[in-house]
Coordinates of all heavy atoms in Angstrom, one line a residue:
S251 N 24.4 3.9 2.7 CA 24.7 4.3 1.3 C 23.5 3.7 0.4 O 22.7 2.9 0.9 CB 26.0 3.7 0.8 OG 25.9 2.3 0.6
F252 N 23.5 4.2 -0.8 CA 22.4 3.7 -1.7 C 22.5 2.2 -2.0 O 21.5 1.5 -2.0 CB 22.5 4.5 -3.0 CG 21.3 4.2 -3.9 CD1 20.1 4.6 -3.6 CD2 21.5 3.5 -5.1 CE1 19.0 4.3 -4.4 CE2 20.5 3.2 -5.9 CZ 19.2 3.6 -5.6
R253 N 23.7 1.7 -2.1 CA 23.9 0.2 -2.3 C 23.4 -0.6 -1.2 O 22.7 -1.6 -1.3 CB 25.4 -0.1 -2.6 CG 25.9 0.3 -3.9 CD 27.3 -0.2 -4.2 NE 27.8 0.3 -5.4 CZ 27.7 -0.2 -6.6 NH1 27.0 -1.3 -6.7 NH2 28.2 0.3 -7.7
D254 N 23.6 -0.1 0.0 CA 23.0 -0.7 1.2 C 21.5 -0.7 1.2 O 20.9 -1.7 1.6 CB 23.5 -0.1 2.5 CG 25.0 -0.3 2.7 OD1 25.6 -1.3 2.2 OD2 25.6 0.6 3.4
C255 N 21.0 0.4 0.7 CA 19.6 0.5 0.6 C 19.0 -0.5 -0.3 O 18.0 -1.2 0.0 CB 19.2 1.9 0.1 SG 17.4 2.2 0.1
I256 N 19.6 -0.7 -1.5 CA 19.2 -1.7 -2.4 C 19.2 -3.1 -1.8 O 18.3 -3.9 -2.0 CB 20.1 -1.7 -3.7 CG1 19.9 -0.4 -4.5 CG2 19.8 -2.8 -4.6 CD1 18.5 -0.1 -5.0
R257 N 20.2 -3.4 -1.1 CA 20.4 -4.7 -0.4 C 19.2 -4.9 0.6 O 18.8 -6.1 0.8 CB 21.7 -4.8 0.3 CG 22.8 -5.0 -0.7 CD 24.2 -5.2 0.1 NE 25.2 -5.0 -0.9 CZ 26.2 -4.1 -0.7 NH1 26.1 -3.3 0.3 NH2 27.1 -3.9 -1.6
K258 N 18.7 -3.9 1.2 CA 17.7 -4.0 2.2 C 16.3 -4.2 1.6 O 15.4 -4.6 2.3 CB 17.6 -2.8 3.1 CG 18.8 -2.6 4.0 CD 18.6 -1.4 4.9 CE 19.7 -1.2 5.9 NZ 19.6 0.0 6.7
I259 N 16.1 -3.9 0.3 CA 14.8 -4.0 -0.3 C 14.4 -5.5 -0.3 O 15.1 -6.4 -0.7 CB 14.8 -3.5 -1.8 CG1 15.1 -2.0 -1.7 CG2 13.5 -3.8 -2.5 CD1 15.2 -1.4 -3.1
D260 N 13.1 -5.6 0.1 CA 12.6 -7.0 0.2 C 12.3 -7.4 -1.3 O 11.3 -6.9 -1.9 CB 11.3 -7.0 1.0 CG 10.8 -8.4 1.2 OD1 11.3 -9.3 0.6 OD2 9.8 -8.4 2.0
M261 N 13.0 -8.4 -1.8 CA 12.8 -8.9 -3.1 C 11.6 -9.7 -3.4 O 11.4 -10.3 -4.4 CB 14.1 -9.6 -3.6 CG 15.3 -8.7 -3.6 SD 15.2 -7.2 -4.6 CE 15.0 -7.9 -6.2
R262 N 10.8 -9.9 -2.3 CA 9.6 -10.7 -2.5 C 8.4 -9.8 -3.1 O 7.3 -10.3 -3.2 CB 9.1 -11.2 -1.1 CG 10.0 -12.2 -0.5 CD 9.6 -12.5 0.9 NE 9.8 -11.3 1.7 CZ 9.1 -11.1 2.7 NH1 8.2 -11.9 3.1 NH2 9.3 -9.9 3.4
L263 N 8.7 -8.6 -3.6 CA 7.7 -7.8 -4.2 C 7.1 -8.5 -5.4 O 7.8 -9.2 -6.1 CB 8.3 -6.5 -4.7 CG 8.7 -5.5 -3.6 CD1 9.4 -4.3 -4.2 CD2 7.5 -5.1 -2.8
K264 N 5.8 -8.4 -5.6 CA 5.1 -9.0 -6.6 C 5.2 -8.2 -7.9 O 4.1 -7.8 -8.4 CB 3.7 -9.3 -6.2 CG 3.5 -10.0 -4.9 CD 3.4 -11.5 -5.1 CE 3.0 -12.2 -3.8 NZ 4.0 -12.3 -2.8
M265 N 6.3 -8.0 -8.5 CA 6.5 -7.2 -9.7 C 6.8 -8.2 -10.8 O 7.6 -9.1 -10.6 CB 7.5 -6.1 -9.6 CG 7.1 -5.0 -8.7 SD 8.3 -3.7 -8.7 CE 9.5 -4.4 -7.6
D266 N 6.2 -7.9 -12.0 CA 6.4 -8.9 -13.1 C 7.7 -8.6 -13.8 O 8.0 -7.6 -14.4 CB 5.2 -8.8 -14.0 CG 5.0 -7.4 -14.5 OD1 5.0 -6.5 -13.6 OD2 4.7 -7.1 -15.6
K267 N 8.6 -9.6 -13.7 CA 9.9 -9.7 -14.5 C 10.6 -8.3 -14.5 O 11.0 -7.8 -15.6 CB 9.6 -10.1 -15.9 CG 9.0 -11.5 -16.0 CD 8.7 -11.8 -17.5 CE 8.0 -13.2 -17.5 NZ 7.6 -13.5 -18.8
I268 N 10.8 -7.8 -13.4 CA 11.6 -6.5 -13.3 C 13.1 -6.8 -13.3 O 13.5 -7.7 -12.6 CB 11.1 -5.7 -12.1 CG1 11.7 -4.3 -12.2 CG2 11.5 -6.4 -10.8 CD1 10.9 -3.3 -11.3
N269 N 13.8 -6.1 -14.1 CA 15.2 -6.3 -14.2 C 15.9 -5.4 -13.2 O 15.4 -4.5 -12.7 CB 15.8 -6.2 -15.6 CG 15.6 -4.8 -16.2 OD1 15.7 -3.8 -15.5 ND2 15.5 -4.7 -17.5
Y270 N 17.2 -5.6 -13.0 CA 18.0 -4.9 -12.0 C 18.0 -3.4 -12.4 O 17.8 -2.5 -11.5 CB 19.4 -5.4 -12.0 CG 20.2 -4.7 -10.9 CD1 20.0 -5.0 -9.6 CD2 21.2 -3.8 -11.2 CE1 20.7 -4.4 -8.6 CE2 21.9 -3.2 -10.2 CZ 21.7 -3.5 -8.9 OH 22.4 -2.9 -7.9
K271 N 18.2 -3.0 -13.6 CA 18.2 -1.6 -14.0 C 16.9 -0.9 -13.6 O 16.8 0.2 -13.1 CB 18.5 -1.4 -15.5 CG 18.5 0.0 -15.9 CD 18.9 0.1 -17.4 CE 19.1 1.6 -17.8 NZ 17.9 2.2 -18.3
K272 N 15.8 -1.6 -13.9 CA 14.5 -1.0 -13.6 C 14.3 -0.9 -12.1 O 13.7 0.0 -11.6 CB 13.3 -1.8 -14.3 CG 13.2 -1.5 -15.7 CD 11.8 -1.9 -16.2 CE 11.8 -1.7 -17.7 NZ 10.8 -0.8 -18.1
L273 N 14.8 -1.9 -11.4 CA 14.7 -1.9 -9.9 C 15.4 -0.7 -9.4 O 14.9 0.0 -8.5 CB 15.2 -3.2 -9.3 CG 15.3 -3.3 -7.8 CD1 13.9 -3.2 -7.2 CD2 16.0 -4.5 -7.4
M274 N 16.6 -0.5 -9.9 CA 17.4 0.7 -9.5 C 16.6 2.0 -9.8 O 16.5 2.9 -8.9 CB 18.7 0.8 -10.2 CG 19.7 -0.3 -9.8 SD 20.3 -0.1 -8.1 CE 21.3 1.3 -8.3
E275 N 16.1 2.1 -11.0 CA 15.3 3.3 -11.4 C 14.1 3.5 -10.5 O 13.8 4.6 -10.0 CB 14.9 3.3 -12.8 CG 16.1 3.4 -13.8 CD 15.7 3.0 -15.2 OE1 14.6 2.6 -15.5 OE2 16.6 3.2 -16.1
N276 N 13.4 2.4 -10.3 CA 12.2 2.5 -9.4 C 12.5 2.8 -8.0 O 11.8 3.6 -7.3 CB 11.4 1.2 -9.5 CG 10.7 1.1 -10.9 OD1 10.3 2.1 -11.5 ND2 10.6 -0.1 -11.4
T277 N 13.6 2.3 -7.5 CA 14.1 2.6 -6.1 C 14.5 4.0 -6.0 O 14.2 4.7 -5.0 CB 15.2 1.6 -5.7 OG1 14.8 0.3 -5.9 CG2 15.7 1.9 -4.3
I278 N 15.1 4.6 -7.0 CA 15.5 6.0 -6.9 C 14.2 6.9 -6.9 O 14.1 7.8 -6.1 CB 16.4 6.4 -8.2 CG1 17.8 5.7 -8.0 CG2 16.5 7.9 -8.3 CD1 18.6 5.7 -9.3
L279 N 13.3 6.5 -7.7 CA 12.0 7.2 -7.7 C 11.3 7.1 -6.4 O 10.8 8.0 -5.8 CB 11.1 6.8 -8.9 CG 9.7 7.5 -9.0 CD1 9.9 9.0 -9.1 CD2 9.0 6.9 -10.1
A280 N 11.3 5.9 -5.8 CA 10.6 5.6 -4.5 C 11.3 6.4 -3.4 O 10.6 7.0 -2.6 CB 10.7 4.1 -4.2
R281 N 12.6 6.5 -3.5 CA 13.3 7.3 -2.5 C 13.0 8.8 -2.6 O 12.8 9.5 -1.6 CB 14.8 7.1 -2.6 CG 15.7 7.8 -1.6 CD 17.1 7.5 -1.7 NE 17.6 7.9 -3.0 CZ 18.9 7.8 -3.4 NH1 19.8 7.3 -2.6 NH2 19.3 8.3 -4.6
F282 N 12.9 9.3 -3.9 CA 12.5 10.7 -4.1 C 11.1 10.9 -3.6 O 10.9 12.0 -2.9 CB 12.6 11.0 -5.6 CG 12.1 12.3 -5.9 CD1 12.8 13.5 -5.7 CD2 10.8 12.5 -6.4 CE1 12.3 14.7 -5.9 CE2 10.3 13.7 -6.7 CZ 11.0 14.9 -6.4
I283 N 10.2 10.0 -3.9 CA 8.8 10.2 -3.4 C 8.8 10.3 -1.9 O 8.1 11.2 -1.3 CB 7.9 9.1 -3.9 CG1 7.7 9.1 -5.4 CG2 6.5 9.1 -3.2 CD1 7.1 7.9 -6.0
H284 N 9.4 9.4 -1.2 CA 9.5 9.4 0.2 C 10.1 10.7 0.8 O 9.5 11.4 1.6 CB 10.2 8.2 0.8 CG 10.5 8.3 2.2 ND1 9.6 8.2 3.2 CD2 11.7 8.5 2.9 CE1 10.1 8.3 4.4 NE2 11.4 8.6 4.2
D285 N 11.3 11.0 0.3 CA 11.9 12.2 0.8 C 11.1 13.5 0.5 O 11.0 14.4 1.4 CB 13.3 12.4 0.1 CG 14.3 11.3 0.5 OD1 14.0 10.6 1.5 OD2 15.3 11.2 -0.1
S286 N 10.5 13.6 -0.7 CA 9.7 14.7 -1.0 C 8.5 14.8 -0.1 O 8.1 15.9 0.4 CB 9.3 14.6 -2.5 OG 8.6 15.8 -2.9
Y287 N 7.8 13.7 0.1 CA 6.6 13.6 1.0 C 7.0 14.1 2.4 O 6.3 15.0 2.9 CB 6.1 12.2 1.0 CG 4.8 12.1 1.8 CD1 3.6 12.4 1.3 CD2 4.9 11.8 3.2 CE1 2.4 12.3 2.1 CE2 3.8 11.7 4.0 CZ 2.5 11.9 3.4 OH 1.4 11.8 4.2
E288 N 8.1 13.6 2.9 CA 8.4 14.0 4.3 C 8.8 15.5 4.4 O 8.5 16.1 5.3 CB 9.6 13.1 4.8 CG 9.2 11.7 5.1 CD 8.2 11.6 6.3 OE1 8.3 12.4 7.2 OE2 7.3 10.8 6.2
R289 N 9.5 15.9 3.3 CA 9.9 17.4 3.3 C 8.7 18.3 3.3 O 8.5 19.2 4.0 CB 10.8 17.6 2.1 CG 11.4 19.1 2.1 CD 12.3 19.3 0.9 NE 11.6 19.3 -0.3 CZ 11.7 18.4 -1.2 NH1 12.5 17.3 -1.1 NH2 11.0 18.4 -2.4
W290 N 7.8 18.0 2.3 CA 6.6 18.8 2.2 C 5.6 18.6 3.4 O 5.0 19.6 3.8 CB 5.8 18.5 0.9 CG 6.5 19.1 -0.2 CD1 7.3 18.5 -1.2 CD2 6.6 20.5 -0.5 NE1 7.8 19.4 -2.1 CE2 7.4 20.7 -1.7 CE3 6.1 21.7 0.1 CZ2 7.7 21.9 -2.2 CZ3 6.4 22.9 -0.4 CH2 7.2 23.0 -1.6
A291 N 5.6 17.5 4.0 CA 4.7 17.3 5.2 C 5.3 18.2 6.3 O 4.5 18.9 7.0 CB 4.8 15.8 5.6
Q292 N 6.5 18.2 6.5 CA 7.1 19.1 7.5 C 6.8 20.6 7.2 O 6.5 21.3 8.1 CB 8.6 18.8 7.6 CG 9.3 19.6 8.7 CD 10.8 19.3 8.8 OE1 11.4 19.0 7.8 NE2 11.4 19.5 9.9
K293 N 7.0 21.0 6.0 CA 6.8 22.4 5.6 C 5.3 22.8 5.8 O 5.1 24.0 6.0 CB 7.3 22.6 4.2 CG 8.8 22.7 4.0 CD 9.2 23.0 2.6 CE 10.7 23.0 2.5 NZ 11.1 23.4 1.2
T294 N 4.4 21.9 5.6 CA 3.0 22.2 5.7 C 2.4 21.9 7.0 O 1.2 22.1 7.2 CB 2.2 21.5 4.6 OG1 2.3 20.1 4.8 CG2 2.6 21.9 3.2
G295 N 3.2 21.4 7.9 CA 2.7 21.1 9.3 C 2.0 19.8 9.4 O 1.4 19.5 10.4
W296 N 2.1 18.9 8.4 CA 1.5 17.6 8.5 C 2.4 16.7 9.3 O 3.6 16.6 9.0 CB 1.3 17.1 7.1 CG 0.7 15.7 7.0 CD1 1.4 14.5 6.8 CD2 -0.6 15.3 7.2 NE1 0.5 13.5 6.8 CE2 -0.7 13.9 7.1 CE3 -1.8 16.1 7.5 CZ2 -1.9 13.3 7.2 CZ3 -3.0 15.4 7.6 CH2 -3.1 14.0 7.5
K297 N 1.8 16.1 10.3 CA 2.6 15.2 11.2 C 2.6 13.8 10.6 O 1.5 13.2 10.6 CB 2.1 15.2 12.6 CG 2.3 16.6 13.2 CD 2.0 16.6 14.7 CE 2.0 18.0 15.2 NZ 3.2 18.4 15.7
T298 N 3.8 13.3 10.2 CA 3.8 11.9 9.8 C 4.3 11.0 10.9 O 4.7 11.5 12.0 CB 4.8 11.8 8.6 OG1 6.1 12.2 9.0 CG2 4.4 12.6 7.4
Q299 N 4.2 9.7 10.7 CA 4.6 8.8 11.8 C 6.1 8.9 12.0 O 6.9 9.1 11.1 CB 4.3 7.3 11.4 CG 2.8 7.1 11.2 CD 2.6 5.7 10.7 OE1 3.4 4.8 10.7 NE2 1.4 5.4 10.1
N300 N 6.4 8.7 13.3 CA 7.9 8.8 13.7 C 8.7 7.8 12.9 O 9.8 8.0 12.5 CB 8.1 8.7 15.2 CG 7.7 10.0 15.9 OD1 7.7 11.1 15.3 ND2 7.3 9.8 17.1
S301 N 8.1 6.6 12.7 CA 8.8 5.5 12.1 C 9.1 5.8 10.6 O 9.9 5.2 10.0 CB 8.1 4.2 12.2 OG 6.8 4.3 11.5
C302 N 8.4 6.8 10.1 CA 8.6 7.2 8.6 C 9.5 8.5 8.5 O 9.8 8.8 7.4 CB 7.2 7.5 8.0 SG 6.2 6.0 7.9
K303 N 9.9 9.1 9.6 CA 10.8 10.2 9.5 C 12.2 9.8 9.5 O 13.0 10.3 10.2 CB 10.5 11.2 10.7 CG 9.1 11.8 10.7 CD 8.9 12.6 11.9 CE 7.4 13.1 11.9 NZ 7.1 13.9 13.1
V304 N 12.5 8.9 8.6 CA 13.8 8.3 8.5 C 14.2 8.3 7.0 O 13.3 8.5 6.1 CB 13.9 6.9 9.1 CG1 13.7 7.0 10.6 CG2 13.0 6.0 8.4
K305 N 15.4 8.0 6.7 CA 15.8 7.8 5.3 C 15.0 6.6 4.7 O 14.7 5.7 5.4 CB 17.3 7.5 5.2 CG 18.2 8.7 5.5 CD 19.6 8.3 5.4 CE 20.5 9.5 5.7 NZ 21.9 9.2 5.6
Y306 N 14.8 6.7 3.4 CA 14.1 5.6 2.7 C 14.6 4.2 3.1 O 13.8 3.3 3.3 CB 14.2 5.8 1.2 CG 13.6 4.7 0.4 CD1 12.2 4.6 0.2 CD2 14.4 3.7 -0.2 CE1 11.6 3.6 -0.5 CE2 13.8 2.7 -0.9 CZ 12.4 2.6 -1.1 OH 11.8 1.6 -1.8
C307 N 15.9 4.1 3.1 CA 16.5 2.8 3.4 C 16.2 2.2 4.7 O 16.2 1.0 5.0 CB 18.1 2.8 3.2 SG 18.6 3.3 1.6
D308 N 15.9 3.2 5.7 CA 15.6 2.8 7.0 C 14.1 2.7 7.3 O 13.8 2.4 8.5 CB 16.3 3.8 8.0 CG 17.8 3.8 7.8 OD1 18.4 2.8 7.6 OD2 18.4 4.9 8.0
L309 N 13.3 2.8 6.3 CA 11.9 2.7 6.5 C 11.6 1.2 6.9 O 12.3 0.3 6.4 CB 11.1 3.0 5.3 CG 10.9 4.5 4.9 CD1 10.4 4.6 3.5 CD2 10.0 5.2 5.9
P310 N 10.5 1.0 7.6 CA 10.0 -0.4 7.8 C 9.8 -1.0 6.4 O 9.4 -0.4 5.4 CB 8.7 -0.2 8.5 CG 8.8 1.1 9.2 CD 9.6 1.9 8.3
A311 N 10.0 -2.3 6.3 CA 9.9 -3.1 5.0 C 8.6 -2.8 4.3 O 8.7 -2.6 3.0 CB 10.1 -4.6 5.2
K312 N 7.5 -2.8 4.9 CA 6.2 -2.6 4.3 C 6.1 -1.2 3.7 O 5.6 -1.0 2.6 CB 5.1 -2.9 5.2 CG 4.9 -4.3 5.6 CD 4.5 -5.1 4.4 CE 4.2 -6.5 4.7 NZ 4.0 -7.4 3.6
N313 N 6.7 -0.2 4.4 CA 6.7 1.2 3.8 C 7.5 1.2 2.5 O 7.2 1.9 1.6 CB 7.2 2.2 4.8 CG 6.3 2.3 6.0 OD1 6.1 1.4 6.8 ND2 5.7 3.5 6.1
R314 N 8.7 0.6 2.6 CA 9.6 0.6 1.4 C 8.9 -0.1 0.2 O 8.9 0.4 -0.9 CB 10.9 -0.1 1.7 CG 11.9 0.7 2.5 CD 13.3 0.1 2.5 NE 13.3 -1.4 2.6 CZ 13.4 -2.0 3.8 NH1 13.5 -1.4 4.9 NH2 13.5 -3.3 3.8
E315 N 8.3 -1.2 0.5 CA 7.6 -2.0 -0.5 C 6.5 -1.1 -1.1 O 6.3 -1.1 -2.4 CB 7.0 -3.3 0.0 CG 8.1 -4.3 0.4 CD 7.5 -5.5 1.0 OE1 6.3 -5.7 1.1 OE2 8.3 -6.3 1.6
T316 N 5.7 -0.4 -0.3 CA 4.6 0.4 -0.8 C 5.2 1.5 -1.6 O 4.6 1.8 -2.7 CB 3.8 1.0 0.4 OG1 3.3 -0.1 1.2 CG2 2.7 1.9 -0.1
M317 N 6.2 2.2 -1.2 CA 6.8 3.3 -2.0 C 7.3 2.8 -3.3 O 7.2 3.4 -4.3 CB 7.9 4.0 -1.2 CG 7.5 4.9 -0.1 SD 6.7 6.4 -0.8 CE 5.6 6.7 0.5
L318 N 7.9 1.6 -3.3 CA 8.5 1.0 -4.5 C 7.4 0.7 -5.5 O 7.5 1.0 -6.7 CB 9.3 -0.2 -4.2 CG 10.1 -0.8 -5.3 CD1 11.0 0.3 -6.0 CD2 11.0 -1.9 -4.8
L319 N 6.3 0.2 -5.0 CA 5.1 -0.2 -5.8 C 4.5 1.1 -6.4 O 4.0 1.1 -7.5 CB 4.1 -1.0 -5.1 CG 4.6 -2.4 -4.8 CD1 3.7 -3.1 -3.8 CD2 4.8 -3.2 -6.0
V320 N 4.4 2.2 -5.6 CA 3.9 3.4 -6.1 C 4.8 3.9 -7.2 O 4.3 4.4 -8.3 CB 3.8 4.5 -5.0 CG1 3.6 5.9 -5.5 CG2 2.7 4.1 -4.0
A321 N 6.1 3.8 -7.0 CA 7.1 4.3 -8.1 C 6.8 3.5 -9.4 O 6.8 4.0 -10.5 CB 8.5 4.1 -7.6
V322 N 6.6 2.2 -9.3 CA 6.4 1.3 -10.4 C 5.1 1.8 -11.1 O 5.0 1.9 -12.3 CB 6.3 -0.2 -10.0 CG1 5.7 -1.0 -11.2 CG2 7.6 -0.7 -9.6
D323 N 4.0 2.0 -10.3 CA 2.8 2.5 -10.9 C 2.9 3.8 -11.6 O 2.4 4.0 -12.7 CB 1.7 2.7 -9.8 CG 1.0 1.4 -9.4 OD1 1.2 0.3 -10.1 OD2 0.3 1.4 -8.4
I324 N 3.7 4.7 -11.0 CA 3.9 6.0 -11.7 C 4.6 5.9 -13.0 O 4.2 6.4 -14.0 CB 4.7 7.0 -10.7 CG1 3.8 7.4 -9.6 CG2 5.2 8.2 -11.5 CD1 4.5 8.1 -8.5
R325 N 5.7 5.1 -13.0 CA 6.4 4.9 -14.3 C 5.5 4.2 -15.3 O 5.6 4.6 -16.5 CB 7.7 4.1 -14.0 CG 8.7 4.9 -13.2 CD 9.9 4.0 -12.9 NE 10.4 3.5 -14.1 CZ 11.6 3.8 -14.7 NH1 12.3 4.8 -14.2 NH2 12.0 3.3 -15.8
R326 N 4.8 3.2 -14.9 CA 3.9 2.5 -15.9 C 2.8 3.5 -16.4 O 2.5 3.5 -17.6 CB 3.2 1.3 -15.2 CG 4.1 0.2 -15.1 CD 3.4 -1.0 -14.4 NE 4.3 -2.1 -14.3 CZ 4.1 -3.1 -13.4 NH1 3.1 -3.1 -12.7 NH2 5.0 -4.1 -13.3
Y327 N 2.3 4.3 -15.6 CA 1.3 5.3 -16.0 C 1.9 6.2 -17.0 O 1.3 6.5 -18.1 CB 0.8 6.1 -14.8 CG -0.2 7.2 -15.2 CD1 -1.5 6.9 -15.4 CD2 0.3 8.5 -15.3 CE1 -2.4 7.9 -15.8 CE2 -0.6 9.5 -15.6 CZ -1.9 9.2 -15.9 OH -2.8 10.2 -16.3
F328 N 3.1 6.8 -16.7 CA 3.7 7.7 -17.7 C 4.1 7.0 -19.0 O 4.0 7.5 -20.1 CB 4.9 8.5 -17.1 CG 4.4 9.6 -16.3 CD1 4.3 9.5 -14.9 CD2 4.1 10.8 -16.9 CE1 3.8 10.6 -14.1 CE2 3.6 11.9 -16.1 CZ 3.5 11.8 -14.7
D329 N 4.6 5.8 -18.9 CA 4.9 5.0 -20.1 C 3.7 4.8 -20.9 O 3.8 4.9 -22.2 CB 5.5 3.6 -19.7 CG 6.9 3.7 -19.1 OD1 7.5 4.8 -19.3 OD2 7.4 2.7 -18.6
D330 N 2.6 4.5 -20.3 CA 1.3 4.3 -21.1 C 0.8 5.6 -21.7 O 0.3 5.6 -22.8 CB 0.2 3.7 -20.2 CG 0.5 2.2 -19.8 OD1 1.3 1.6 -20.4 OD2 -0.2 1.8 -18.9
E331 N 1.0 6.7 -21.0 CA 0.5 8.0 -21.5 C 1.4 8.4 -22.7 O 0.8 9.0 -23.6 CB 0.6 9.0 -20.4 CG -0.5 8.9 -19.4 CD -1.9 9.1 -19.9 OE1 -2.2 10.1 -20.6 OE2 -2.8 8.2 -19.6
V332 N 2.6 8.1 -22.6 CA 3.5 8.5 -23.7 C 3.2 7.7 -25.0 O 3.3 8.2 -26.1 CB 5.0 8.3 -23.3 CG1 5.9 8.5 -24.5 CG2 5.4 9.3 -22.2
K333 N 2.8 6.5 -24.8 CA 2.5 5.6 -26.0 C 1.2 6.1 -26.7 O 1.1 6.0 -27.9 CB 2.2 4.2 -25.5 CG 3.4 3.5 -25.1 CD 3.1 2.1 -24.6 CE 4.2 1.4 -24.0 NZ 3.9 0.1 -23.4
D334 N 0.3 6.7 -26.0 CA -1.0 7.2 -26.6 C -0.8 8.4 -27.5 O 0.0 9.2 -27.5 CB -2.0 7.4 -25.5 CG -2.4 6.2 -24.8 OD1 -2.2 5.1 -25.4 OD2 -2.9 6.2 -23.7

């Protein structure tokens, strides 16, 4: 379940003062990025690593952390663009 997924996230991520709501939002985005990437990779014939052909929650810790950090970067980028 999604709650189990949140529990599995390695909280040692080096994110500045992130609150629980933002963590949830960023995790949802990270899960979407992962699922979308795997779906499109399959459709285009791109072979991804077997260890990554799993649900987001079951990814190796480093993969989850990377996807979560990408999600944080995307949100920050859009937040900055909207301000301008």
Side-chain angles (χ1 to χ4, degrees):
S251 76
F252 186 69
R253 286 187 188 272
D254 293 334
C255 184
I256 294 296
R257 288 185 196 115
K258 288 182 182 180
I259 292 173
D260 185 355
M261 296 306 294
R262 293 172 295 151
L263 291 173
K264 307 266 188 289
M265 289 187 283
D266 51 319
K267 298 180 184 173
I268 192 161
N269 66 30
Y270 185 75
K271 181 175 185 269
K272 284 198 184 240
L273 175 61
M274 291 291 289
E275 291 169 355
N276 289 325
T277 302
I278 290 167
L279 179 57
R281 184 176 61 176
F282 173 79
I283 292 166
H284 168 71
D285 293 347
S286 182
Y287 181 87
E288 286 298 323
R289 185 179 68 252
W290 284 109
Q292 184 179 26
K293 287 182 179 185
T294 60
W296 178 256
K297 295 188 188 268
T298 60
Q299 297 176 17
N300 285 335
S301 63
C302 295
K303 294 179 184 178
V304 296
K305 292 181 180 180
Y306 174 80
C307 299
D308 297 327
L309 285 171
K312 289 293 182 189
N313 292 67
R314 282 194 320 269
E315 290 174 12
T316 301
M317 285 291 150
L318 190 54
L319 291 169
V320 168
V322 170
D323 279 351
I324 290 170
R325 289 177 56 108
R326 285 181 180 159
Y327 176 80
F328 279 98
D329 287 348
D330 289 345
E331 287 297 310
V332 170
K333 288 178 190 173
D334 293 339

